[in-house]
Amino acid sequence: MAGVLRAVGVFVAGFALAVTALLPWAGLTAEFGILNTSLTHAVRGVDAGPGWFVLGAGITAMLLGVLGAARNWLFTGLAILPGAVAAFALAMFLADPRDLVGRLDFQVSGLLRVHPTIQYGWFAGLLASVALAVLAAAALLRRR
């Protein structure tokens, strides 16, 4: 019974990971000092290459969770690999040196400030990938 619960946890974490690829990961925010307003242009995870890896890792983890519940606990433990791939893809999203336009940061004193932001989808993806890895590791350690 506990093995099935861990497999269901892996499935849910994989689903959450796949959903986070559709959420906004980053954006470019322009703050206007005179008008006291700000505008944000959001970039979803699937708008960049690493988002597709996170989506694929989430779907793979869901499949491994189903196989872990139906067949063998080892499939549940193997879900640690998609969790690691997703965490690496999230890190690569922030470290991409070719995306210079998205890293635009300048300011005109008191009038305008433009800067990149990391949005909630990236943090949710990181949390889901860590949760997935922890649940998969727990499945491996419990059966050892």
Side-chain angles (χ1 to χ4, degrees):
M1 182 66 175
V4 173
L5 288 177
R6 281 190 282 276
V8 168
V10 164
F11 178 84
V12 170
F15 179 75
L17 187 61
V19 168
T20 61
L22 304 174
L23 297 176
W25 281 10
L28 191 62
T29 302
E31 298 172 353
F32 301 97
I34 294 174
L35 302 174
N36 198 20
T37 61
S38 65
L39 298 172
T40 301
H41 172 70
V43 176
R44 297 178 313 149
V46 292
D47 291 340
W52 291 102
F53 283 105
V54 171
L55 182 64
I59 292 170
T60 303
M62 289 170 52
L63 177 65
L64 289 171
V66 169
L67 288 173
R71 302 219 180 217
N72 191 350
W73 61 270
L74 188 57
F75 288 111
T76 304
L78 286 176
I80 198 167
L81 297 174
V85 166
F88 182 72
L90 286 160
M92 289 294 96
F93 178 78
L94 291 183
D96 187 8
R98 295 176 296 151
D99 192 18
L100 296 177
V101 176
R103 310 255 185 254
L104 183 64
D105 189 5
F106 70 88
Q107 155 177 346
V108 177
S109 183
L111 297 176
L112 174 68
R113 180 167 185 242
V114 177
H115 57 91
T117 57
I118 301 172
Q119 294 191 353
Y120 64 93
W122 187 88
F123 292 107
L126 185 63
L127 180 66
S129 69
V130 168
L132 176 61
V134 166
L135 288 168
L140 284 175
L141 294 176
R142 292 288 181 197
R143 294 292 183 165
R144 210 165 177 214

